[in-house]
Structures are given as C-alpha cells and as structure tokens.
Amino acid sequence: MGQRHQLFVIAKINGRYRQLCAIHHQWLYGHTALRRCQDIFHTLSHAVNRVPLQQELIAASKHDDNFWVAATSRDEYFEKNSHVPFPFVATCLIMGASFNVNGYFHGVSIEPFHMPFDGGDNNNGITIFDISELDNVRYCFVDFYGMESEREVELMTPLSARTYLEAYYVLDESEDHVKDAGLIPLLKGFERWDLVTSRALKETWPHGEWTDDGSLEANADGPAESSKLVGGHTAAPATNVPREVESKESAGDADARKGTAKTLRDQSMDALLESLVDEAQKVPIVDTNLVAEAELLTDFIPKLRIKLYDRAATLVPSTALLRLLHKALEQDVVVDLRPLKTLTVQHLAELVMSLRNGKMRVLNLSNMPDLSESDLKAILGIEPALSGQSQPSPSSSLLAPRMTGDLSTIVLLETPKISIDFLTENLGNYEICHSDLFRRPLSTEGQWDDPPLHTLEFSAPHTVAQLVWVGITSTQSCDSKLRLSTGQFDWSNMKYSVRPSDAYSRDPSIKYKNFLMDVPLPAGKMIHGLQRLLQYITSIDQYQFEEWPKAAARCFATTSALEDRVGYSVGPLSRILYRDEGRRERGGVERSGKGRPLKQDQWAIVLVHEAFDAKNQESLDKDAQEVKEKSESGEADSTSQSPAHDGKEPKFKPLKRLRYALAKALPESGSSEKQFLVTDVPGYLHHVLGGNDDEATAASPMIGWWKKQISAFEAGGNGYYDDDDIHDVVRKVYSGERVAEDKPRGLDPVDDIMKMIMKAQMGDA
C-alpha cells in the first residue's frame, strides 16, 4: 500500500551517463512530490554542497566499466551493495526527500545501487536529478507504465513539474484547493530549471524505450560545457573528468577554452601571468610592485588562480610561489589543495596557516589516497610541521565562520588512510565531510554479517556529547498533583522510565531517552541544528514519537559553513539518531542497561517535551479545559495532593510544549551532590568562549541570529528556555548522588533513576 515513488541521481561520468544513487519513498505524489523535488534541488545546488558533490564525481570517474555493471550473481550483488558507493550524494537525496524543517518528515530507504528506473515498487512515477553540471542541476519526472493519477501523461519521457502536477489536479487558480496548497507559486519556482534530456535517460538506462524529446539525435560527441565559478565556489564540469584548472574556471575562461578569439588585453594578461608564475619558481620574492599594479585589474586574481591550478602538476615549490598562491586564494571561502600535488606537507601546512587569516572556511583535501593522519595533523597545525609554527587557538574553530571567519569545514572524501577514530580524537571542533562518516548511518550492518560498528565519541573542548529527551504525557501535564504551587512541575514526585517501549504506555513514569551524539557538533553547527529541531517540532501538526530521533538526525546533519536563503549545506547523519538505536537499547540506553555518563566538561542538550502524546495543540487545550472543569466542580481527587503544594491549589501556567537547556557536568567540588551548569544558548556561548572579549564580540551576531530565529516561530515566548523549571529535571535525569570511587568518573543517569524507582516501590521515596 501507499503512494510509492523512487528518486534517482545521475551524472555524466567519463563521457557516459551513470546512475549514482536511488531511494524509495512510500508516500510521494502530486504537489508533495514537487515540494520534495524542490528541496532536493536546493540541496544539490547549495554552494558548499558543490564541493563534496564534485569530489564524489571525481571519485566516480576513477572507476572502471565493471563497477557500473549490474551484478550477475548473488555473491556479486552482495559485494556491490555492501556499502553505499557515493554516500554524500545519497545523504543529499535522503535529506531533501524525507525532511523539511517546517513540519514535514517521512522515512525513506536506499535502493540497490544498480536498480533500474523501473525496478522499484512504484505507482506514482519517479523523480530524476542530473548533477553533471552543478551550476545547472536538472530534474524531471517520469511515468514509465501508468501512474495512479487523475489524468494520463506521456510515458517514458521527461515530464516537467507542471505536466506531472496536472496529472493529479486541475490547475484552476480560482479553485480553493489550488490556492490553499499554493500550487501556482510552487510551479513558478520550477520555471528557471532545465529538464533532464531523453538522451541522458537513454544513456543511463539503455534498456528503456524512451520517447525522443529532440536530444536523442543530438551530437553525443559534441563539446561539453565547462564548469563555472559561482560565488567563489566551484561547480563540476560536464565531462566529470576534471582537469585541475576546470574546478576553478570562470565563465570567461571557459569561452576562451572553447576557441573564442583572445583580445589583445587577454593576451597581455596571459603573458603577465605566465611571467609571474615562472618568476615565482626561480626567485625568493616576486616583483611586489608589479603584483600591486596588476591587482588593480578586477580579473587579475581570478585569472591568477586559474593559471596556478592550470600549471599545478609542474609547479616547483618555493617561498615566492607560496606567497603567490596565498595571494590567489586568500579571498576564497573554499580552498582546494588537491590539485597542488608538487607541494610537500610542509608547504601545504605553511599555506593553510597563512590562509587562516583570509576568508577560508572550507578546506578540501579529498581524493588524496596517500594523505596520512600525520600529514593531516601537520597541514591543520595540530602537529606543527614547521619549526616555531604556532597552532590555532582552540576556540577559533568552535563557532560558525559567520562569527570568526576561520576554517570550520574539512572535506576528506575518499581519503582511505584517514580513519574515523582519528577524526574523533583530533577534529571534533570541525565540521567534517568524510566518506566513512556519511556511510555509517546508511550501512547494512548485520544484513550480510558485517562486524558491528563501535560507538563514536568525539573528544574536543566543549563537545555536545548527548541529546536527552524527557517526555511528559498530556495526562501528566494536566495533573494538579504533579505541580508545585508556582505552576512548575514537581520533579521530585515523579518516577522516571528509561525503557523506550514505555513511550505510549499507561505507566505514569516520565519517559526518558538518551542519545549519544556520534557526529562532530562544534558550537555553530550545534546551535544551527538545535534551532532547526525546535522549529520542526513546533511546526508539526501531529507529533509522532517514533519519528522524532530520525528528524533530529536530519536537523543536526545540516552544517553552518555558509548562510543561504534557500537550501542548506549537508553534513553526516548521526547513526544513533537516524536509526533510532536507543529504541533497541543501543547507543542512548546500551545493551548492558547502563546509561552513558556525562563526563566532566561535556555538554548535553536536554529537551523537555510536555504533552508529547497529544495529537495537536487543539486536543491539548481540550484536555486542559476538562481538567479545569473537573477541578472547579469538585470532581478532582483531592486526597492525594502532594505535600509540596502546602495545601494550595497549583497555578497552571500556559502549557509550553517544548523547552530546552544546555547542561554541563562541573568538576568535583566536595559537595555531596554532583553539580551542573544549566544554561541557554547565549549562556552556552559565553561559557564556551571563556570570557574572551574578542570572541564574545564576534559571537554577538550568532546570539542575535538565534533570538531572531526563535522569535519567528515562538510568539511571545522566552526562547524555549525556562531557567527555574528545567534545572531540577537536569538533576533528576543525571544523578544527584556522588558517583562511587570504584566507578568510572562521570554521571550515571540510569543508576540514579533505578534507585529512585526502587525507593518509590518500597514506599521510601
């Protein structure tokens, strides 16, 4: 059952179109299919996503023909589907198809790598994206055998958004359903996007009987369009066999490569650039006066960058050459070191250190199979390669670059010598694009007897190590016996349950789930993800407990490297959240039954979700009204009033369905109880920055951004943070008793909760 739909990503690899990824969606048709298509399109087109997308296209170009051939035996099938070959492409497709921060979530699943266009369980067509040119991503819908729609469409041909939508609705602007769903504005968003051609579909799936849209007879060997430089970020060339220069090429230079006659000015510029690059390899210092004069020409720096990458394979390293490279790259947000193969690790380390003072936010080191962990340490300044080289301040990488302008994202796709364990130990304060991090949540662990994956724990200052969810049912929310006279919850009179199966049971215990954060969450990324999570839960009409962790995984997978009005950049999904491993007593509540302690100086996000089981706010208001009426009529039970009420009727504050806090375990202080720092996002930033005036000033825009974002979807509230009420629940979730000396240092929430339950059963609580 369902409205079944598959989505594909294709690209031209080594002169022929290939399929890179396919996913299955169980309920996708009509205008929802267009909205998911739009979200995917924005994700694939996002400036920062172009960098890892291009790197996976480069990796794809290195595979031989056998890689692209479907398996012919069971063993070969298992081998070719043992892992996701292009995990970043797959993650982009999953993110856009399954989630929107404005309240949309629906699970999806990855299809076998070589599945044909008509190989899925389908009754509502397919969506296809062509990422051959990342500055001109294409889309189309296809009906290959007859959809379950109101009207028929042409089969086996690329369909536009309007044609697909008209199969389901009469697009009469006067009709209420058209206006209410915003179908006409939705269609306008597709007008600037090109369709995938029949020729591309025919090359990808030759067995299909495709209808010619005029492209099948086109010259398949004609000149390919070159890539363009868009907003300082690279776009992949159409051929996808990138020359190092093509990844940095401007539109004007692309025309020159196609044979456009050079003007006298172009010839003079080219001669100047050749002379400068030659001189930089022979003398200690290039002619600074000449460079200063050349910089007055607006196209000098872009063309210098292109010239250096064009000659990257033969460059002879020198001090003057490094200075010239710095001049060419210092204004780039994205810096690509992969083409500079003649530079030693020491040279690369010196170049990166100098570029930290520029606009560099994203550093690409992908498709470098010989890059070792010691090399990476040296390049990033973790282990200085140069005598006297100073290391970057630990706090400089904590925040989003919109505040510091410093390096925040490292792209390490297809770097087999860099292990995940190395990343957890050394790069916890960076946003990381690593192939294995992207593959972890998408892997098929257990299906083919793969060894189990160990839990990742990123060790870095101020790490957000856990996400804690405390759920209160609507019945508990309306129960006067569980409230203090102030209207706040009487946390000490409540029991706690850590068993995920209790989520919808009648057990009166508060529901509690703990998820380990197995992806790096530097401060900027954490704050961005928390904002999206609060917005999502606030936006949904009907809360589904089973969906919450998976939606949270998607919220924290968005990165903060660049702000964009449309779309978002993509990072790795948390495996524990994405697969909701806490529900199987793994990750958040481990197999041993022991909770993971919050270690000293680690942080946890604590979410208190009040009335989580209410269908919507309307039903919650109805329940509250019924309780109020019973109380006023004397029907409410008054015999079991809590002593904490002191005989006073509790005041009910307006129900606040979601609150958050950031909690940190403080060092041992000699107190009989473990101490915590509990604060909101502005307070967290203050503590993370340690009172550094310069960094605190730089953090002001982030604090302003946070308050603006929160106020946009929380009218008249206090930012989802309630200082007085939430302190007490943090102490209940994390043990209030000192941990025994023979236990590992830290806090054990499960032990304390179980003690509380046992005391309650003995009448001792």
Side-chain angles (χ1 to χ4, degrees), residues 381-393:
I382 299 171
E383 187 176 273
L386 305 175
S387 175
Q389 177 177 310
S390 60
Q391 296 191 36
S393 167

Side-chain angles (χ1 to χ4, degrees), residues 236-256:
T239 59
N240 290 323
V241 191
R243 298 170 57 187
E244 307 302 349
V245 64
E246 286 178 327
S247 66
K248 294 291 178 181
E249 195 163 47
S250 69
D253 288 287
D255 291 337

Side-chain angles (χ1 to χ4, degrees), residues 690-732:
N692 184 311
D693 292 339
D694 292 337
E695 293 281 8
T697 300
S700 296
M702 170 59 95
I703 294 174
W705 173 87
W706 169 263
K707 292 180 178 179
K708 180 180 179 181
Q709 294 295 319
I710 293 298
S711 64
F713 54 86
E714 193 221 14
N718 58 4
Y720 288 89
Y721 178 74
D722 190 336
D723 180 83
D724 293 333
D725 206 13
I726 208 164
H727 266 80
D728 290 335
V729 74
V730 169
R731 292 190 175 93
K732 292 299 178 184

Side-chain angles (χ1 to χ4, degrees), residues 153-169:
V153 295
E154 187 175 3
L155 300 182
M156 298 297 291
T157 193
L159 303 176
S160 68
R162 175 173 287 274
T163 302
Y164 183 82
L165 199 62
E166 286 177 337
Y168 293 91
Y169 317 101

Side-chain angles (χ1 to χ4, degrees), residues 397-400 408-409 427-432 458 460-464 519-529 556 559-560 684-685 688 702:
S397 296
L398 290 175
L399 302 179
S408 68
T409 302
L427 302 183
N429 280 336
Y430 291 96
E431 297 177 18
I432 306 170
F458 284 82
H462 313 294
T463 297
V464 175
V519 292
L521 278 183
K525 182 177 181 181
M526 183 279 294
I527 292 170
H528 186 72
F556 288 107
T559 64
S560 57
Y684 166 78
L685 286 173
V688 162
M702 170 59 95

Side-chain angles (χ1 to χ4, degrees), residues 488-703:
Q488 296 170 339
F489 280 106
D490 183 5
W491 299 107
S492 62
N493 262 354
M494 295 183 178
K495 294 189 301 180
Y496 297 78
S497 172
V498 296
R499 290 181 295 172
S501 60
D502 285 342
Y504 282 116
S505 73
R506 295 183 180 275
D507 175 32
S509 301
I510 288 178
K511 314 306 181 238
Y512 160 85
K513 290 189 70 174
N514 182 312
F515 298 90
L516 299 182
M517 300 306 292
D518 56 342
V519 292
L521 278 183
K525 182 177 181 181
M526 183 279 294
I527 292 170
H528 186 72
L530 178 58
Q531 178 268 327
R532 290 175 63 82
L533 182 58
L534 294 174
Q535 182 178 349
Y536 167 74
I537 298 179
T538 303
S539 301
I540 54 180
D541 293 328
Q542 184 169 343
Y543 178 77
Q544 295 292 332
F545 178 82
E546 293 83 358
E547 295 175 355
W548 177 81
K550 299 174 184 179
R554 288 154 171 84
C555 291
F556 288 107
T558 56
T559 64
S560 57
L562 280 182
E563 282 299 305
D564 198 337
R565 292 183 180 180
V566 180
Y568 46 81
S569 50
V570 171
L573 291 155
S574 161
R575 177 184 173 88
I576 288 174
L577 287 170
Y578 181 76
R579 302 175 74 129
D580 194 5
E581 295 195 337
R583 289 178 59 80
R584 295 196 301 271
E585 297 190 350
R586 296 180 59 189
V589 182
E590 298 183 321
R591 288 173 178 169
S592 64
K594 296 291 185 180
R596 185 66 65 95
L598 186 64
K599 298 177 181 177
Q600 181 176 314
D601 291 329
Q602 283 186 340
W603 290 81
I605 300 170
V606 180
L607 292 176
V608 178
H609 201 156
E610 190 174 338
F612 72 89
D613 59 338
K615 293 181 179 179
N616 48 47
Q617 188 63 46
E618 182 180 353
S619 66
L620 185 60
D621 294 341
K622 182 179 178 181
D623 290 342
Q625 182 62 29
E626 289 179 357
V627 171
K628 181 180 179 182
E629 291 174 356
K630 287 183 178 181
S631 177
E632 292 174 350
S633 65
E635 295 179 32
D637 180 11
S638 60
T639 59
S640 57
Q641 192 178 54
S642 166
H645 296 150
D646 297 326
K648 298 179 181 179
E649 196 64 32
K651 300 174 183 178
F652 278 87
K653 297 194 297 184
L655 283 177
K656 195 173 187 62
R657 296 200 66 184
L658 194 66
R659 283 168 289 165
Y660 84 93
L662 288 151
K664 175 185 176 181
L666 297 176
E668 297 283 354
S669 61
S671 169
S672 60
E673 291 188 352
K674 183 65 69 174
Q675 299 298 309
F676 295 88
L677 170 66
V678 181
T679 187
D680 58 1
V681 163
Y684 166 78
L685 286 173
H686 172 76
H687 289 285
V688 162
L689 296 172
N692 184 311
D693 292 339
D694 292 337
E695 293 281 8
T697 300
S700 296
M702 170 59 95
I703 294 174

